[in-house]
Amino acid sequence: MGCRSVTDTGTKTSGDLLGSWEGCDGRVVNFTQNEDGEISGRYTALGGLTRYGFQANEIGYKLRKRAAGSYSGTVKWRNTRGEATWRDVVITIQGDRYMDNSSDNCAREMKRL
């Protein structure tokens, strides 16, 4: 009897944003989806964001799914005085790799936890 090939499907579907992601400075964003399809990203660990006045559990992303592995919406930015603005963002997910076009350097590429 021969052996079958076994493929690891992982715990998340490729291209799925939902779940927790970590930036290079230790920040962690948890993405969840509500019943209307809107996706919120909350900071569950702040890392380097504390110096900008971010708070734990603060919403930093408001998104919608565009296609498999592609999301768009807004990301919150704060200046050193803590003043917030929202910027447009496009996010691409490839497996366990997060990439976007509008975050700072520590969130532009994140890894899945």
Side-chain angles (χ1 to χ4, degrees), residues 36-56:
D36 294 332
E38 184 176 81
I39 297 169
S40 296
R42 291 183 181 271
Y43 295 106
T44 57
L46 297 174
L49 294 176
T50 54
R51 68 181 172 168
Y52 296 104
F54 281 90
Q55 301 293 315

Side-chain angles (χ1 to χ4, degrees), residues 3 5 9-10 14 27 35 39 42 49 55 80 86 97 104-106 109:
C3 294
S5 173
T9 59
S14 179
R27 76 184 67 175
E35 59 277 352
I39 297 169
R42 291 183 181 271
L49 294 176
Q55 301 293 315
T80 54
W86 289 89
R97 188 169 170 220
D104 67 352
N105 290 337
C106 285
E109 289 190 25

Side-chain angles (χ1 to χ4, degrees), residues 19-31 44-45 47 96-98 105-113:
S20 293
W21 297 82
E22 182 178 28
C24 67
D25 66 349
R27 76 184 67 175
V28 175
V29 184
N30 184 44
F31 292 97
T44 57
D96 289 336
R97 188 169 170 220
Y98 165 112
N105 290 337
C106 285
R108 190 160 288 142
E109 289 190 25
M110 295 192 284
K111 65 179 180 179
R112 187 185 306 275
L113 292 180

Side-chain angles (χ1 to χ4, degrees), residues 47-93:
L49 294 176
T50 54
R51 68 181 172 168
Y52 296 104
F54 281 90
Q55 301 293 315
N57 208 33
E58 180 174 349
I59 293 178
Y61 294 80
K62 296 177 183 177
L63 308 163
R64 292 251 177 217
K65 186 172 188 172
R66 297 177 0 168
S70 179
Y71 302 81
S72 64
T74 55
V75 60
K76 187 184 285 186
W77 278 71
R78 288 188 182 275
N79 61 25
T80 54
R81 293 183 306 276
E83 300 164 337
T85 57
W86 289 89
R87 297 185 183 182
D88 291 339
V89 65
V90 175
I91 296 169
T92 303
I93 304 298

